[in-house]
Amino acid sequence: MPELPEVQRAADSLAAQVLGATIAGLQALDWPRALDGAAPDWFAEAIRNRTISAVGRRAKWIVVTLDAGWWLAIHLRMSGRVSVVPATTAADRHTRWQLRLVDGRLIQFDDPRKFGRLRLLDAAGLAALDAAHGIEPLTPAFTVAALQAALAARARAIKPLLLDQQRIAGVGNIYADEALWRAAIHPRQRADQLDAPAWLRLHEALVAVLRAGIAHGGSTLRDYRDAYGQPGAHQHEFRAYGRAGLPCERCTTPIVRIVVAQRGTHLCPRCQPCPD
Ligand SMILES: [Zn+2]
């Protein structure tokens, strides 16, 4: 599933192509549930002739700013892919919708698993989306103290807390495993038992792995592409995720895979000693 780095790259690559473009209409909608309950006719009418003035990201949502106080929010979920394609591009069997632009191009959404979503938000809707998510880890507000304020009081394992979008926005299974390996913290370590140096290491590790993910164009395990159709390369930089049986790059102990809060979890049993 795309996480913060992948969604950021998708948003940036979309922005580079469509800023200033005007939407002509919605077409090729083969999966109306992608609209999250909005009536397709209403949706198509509401977005027509709106101009795209910005494309950003909030948590794992791509947020497209339109004129007149409207926003489009796109969630890639498991397998979604947004791209900008020529007008002549035909929808294929995984295409869930296309936004036709006045200049003739299409913003196309392909999604084999069909979990992706497209919402049209007014200011209140945007505020609700914002309020549903925690602090953004690549903003100046994300200090060590802010990380501790979000998580440290909890008598729960650190990994599921990192995945809780209401606490920290954008971190998913891959980058949580990578950050905990880098910080040498066991994923089952209780947050309320982490010491001050560990919080410092975890903060540094989260920022580092997310920035590295963005720098490498995100991670592509299977479906992820940016809005130019390019896969990421950060999957070649993993130190823990998906590396069960391979030597830890710090200590050569084989990486192991365990399950923490129902999620496959990868760690070095020597660098990240079990808290029990
Ligand atoms: Zn190790």
Side-chain angles (χ1 to χ4, degrees), residues 248 251 268 271:
C248 171
C251 76
C268 171
C271 294

Side-chain angles (χ1 to χ4, degrees), residues 125-141:
L126 185 70
L129 183 136
D130 184 52
H133 296 94
I135 191 167
E136 285 286 340
L138 295 183
T139 57

Side-chain angles (χ1 to χ4, degrees), residues 181 248 250-253 268 270-271:
W181 179 88
C248 171
R250 266 190 309 243
C251 76
T252 75
T253 302
C268 171
R270 184 169 175 192
C271 294

Side-chain angles (χ1 to χ4, degrees), residues 33-79:
R33 284 171 61 182
L35 301 182
D36 241 0
D41 288 348
W42 172 84
F43 192 98
E45 177 74 29
I47 62 171
R48 189 167 301 137
N49 293 323
R50 302 218 179 275
T51 298
I52 296 170
S53 63
V55 183
R57 178 192 57 76
R58 175 70 172 113
K60 298 177 191 173
W61 289 88
I62 298 168
V63 178
V64 179
T65 304
L66 307 176
D67 53 36
W70 292 96
W71 290 264
L72 283 172
I74 304 167
H75 203 302
L76 305 176
R77 293 279 176 81
M78 299 296 289
S79 62

